[in-house]
Amino acid sequence: MIYKAYALLALATLFWAANSIAGKFAVGHVSPMIIVTIRWASVMVALYLFKKDQIAADWAVIRPRLSYLLVLGAIGFTGFSVALFYALIYTTAVNASIMQGGTPLFVFAASFILFSSRIVKEQALGFILSFFGVIIVAVQGELANLFALNINFGDALMLLAILSYGVYTAALRSKPSIHWTSLMFVLCLGATLASLPLLVIEAAQGATQLPDAQGWLAVAYIIIFPSLLGQVFFIRAVELIGGNRASLFINLLPIWGALLAVTLVGETFHLYHATALVLIFAGIGLAEYGGRKLSRRKA
């Protein structure tokens, strides 16, 4: 079971890493809110068309928790996506990918605040190491930038993105016991509804850009892989090993993202990126060790 979860998480993070690459290719070819709205509306409609009987069967369980799930979709899907795609206008795909390694820090913090989840010292140290890796990227390897609060606007948006997804991941713990397709449908419904006011704001600012051919290719990838398959794989992995442990594998995003950004986009990989990766992967190993130890204690 645990190795199945690991495989699902590896694929999910690969799809999500390529999401940043697709978002970078989309810059100048389709505006962010067009991507976000089409993304979640398309997945929502597809799920309803193919699984409406399952959704109907689960609706009695969904109804009492509908508001909770709609808000969850707005935070985890729309909040993250909007911050990510706007961030990619101002920062590199390498930076965006590596900074997503900081998501577990916010997952554990949210789990502690919302559910008083227990954290062992190895996990705490792992989070600190990962967080230092994120900060190194945000300040581009220069501590003077931190003290001067000289942080790239896109990197600041990425911090908001991982905060949104961290809260979402922790809150999945309280989801009702329903089929994954029903869960995804309601989350996508919440994401779509939340995206509409932002789409109107983008249009009012004259920033709307309908997709051209390259834009449509980017949107198609984003819909099929990170939006549908990636989310499904991640939700299933959370069911298998829990949100805290599953969230650690989001730290695989940096390595996937760096490789894809360098090979496909031609971005430069700097020494501070390598330093950040070392810290993030050290954090993964240490925190996962702590998670296993905690699980054995509970057993």
Side-chain angles (χ1 to χ4, degrees):
M1 180 179 71
I2 191 170
Y3 294 109
K4 179 180 179 181
Y6 288 171
L8 290 172
L9 290 165
L11 287 172
T13 52
L14 174 59
F15 296 157
W16 289 339
N19 184 43
S20 296
I21 306 304
K24 198 64 178 176
F25 278 122
V27 173
H29 298 276
V30 55
S31 57
M33 287 314 307
I34 293 290
I35 299 176
V36 174
T37 305
I38 293 177
R39 175 185 195 179
W40 299 120
S42 297
V43 177
M44 177 187 68
V45 170
L47 288 171
Y48 182 77
L49 291 177
F50 289 101
K51 288 291 185 178
K52 59 183 177 181
D53 291 340
Q54 181 65 58
I55 295 169
D58 286 331
W59 197 253
V61 179
I62 293 171
R63 189 181 295 112
R65 306 297 307 283
L66 181 59
S67 297
Y68 179 82
L69 293 175
L70 292 178
V71 171
L72 209 59
I75 293 172
F77 289 3
T78 300
F80 175 82
S81 298
V82 172
L84 172 64
F85 293 128
Y86 273 105
L88 287 167
I89 296 175
Y90 303 100
T91 192
T92 64
V94 171
N95 278 24
S97 297
I98 291 178
M99 290 186 71
Q100 288 178 67
T103 303
L105 175 73
F106 295 97
V107 174
F108 280 87
S111 295
F112 178 77
I113 293 171
L114 297 175
F115 304 109
S116 300
S117 297
R118 186 180 176 187
I119 298 176
V120 297
K121 62 182 180 181
E122 290 89 353
Q123 289 176 312
L125 182 56
F127 310 148
I128 292 171
L129 288 175
S130 295
F131 184 66
F132 280 159
V134 170
I135 293 300
I136 285 174
V137 173
V139 300
Q140 300 180 16
E142 298 289 342
L143 287 178
N145 287 332
L146 177 61
F147 297 130
L149 297 180
N150 183 21
I151 297 177
N152 179 280
F153 180 61
D155 294 334
L157 286 175
M158 280 309 305
L159 287 174
L160 290 177
I162 61 178
L163 173 61
S164 297
Y165 210 82
V167 172
Y168 158 77
T169 303
L172 275 179
R173 174 175 174 174
S174 293
K175 67 180 177 63
S177 181
I178 54 177
H179 194 269
W180 69 264
T181 53
S182 301
L183 176 63
M184 277 292 296
F185 170 78
V186 181
L187 293 175
C188 289
L189 174 60
T192 302
L193 293 174
S195 73
L196 294 178
L198 299 176
L199 180 65
V200 171
I201 292 173
E202 183 181 75
Q205 294 176 338
T208 298
Q209 181 180 9
L210 296 177
D212 57 15
Q214 182 169 320
W216 276 119
L217 287 174
V219 169
Y221 173 83
I222 291 167
I223 290 171
I224 296 170
F225 291 93
S227 304
L228 182 57
L229 295 180
Q231 295 294 338
V232 170
F233 290 176
F234 185 72
I235 288 172
R236 179 55 181 155
V238 168
E239 291 177 345
L240 291 173
I241 62 174
N244 278 358
R245 294 177 68 188
S247 69
L248 292 172
F249 285 80
I250 295 175
N251 281 313
L252 288 175
L253 277 169
I255 193 67
W256 293 131
L259 288 172
L260 293 173
V262 171
T263 56
L264 298 180
V265 185
E267 293 182 353
T268 303
F269 189 81
H270 297 282
L271 178 59
Y272 66 82
H273 288 135
T275 303
L277 283 173
V278 170
L279 290 172
I280 288 170
F281 275 102
I284 289 177
L286 193 56
E288 176 64 7
Y289 169 75
R292 290 188 178 186
K293 187 166 71 171
L294 183 60
S295 296
R296 287 196 296 268
R297 288 179 184 176
K298 290 180 179 179

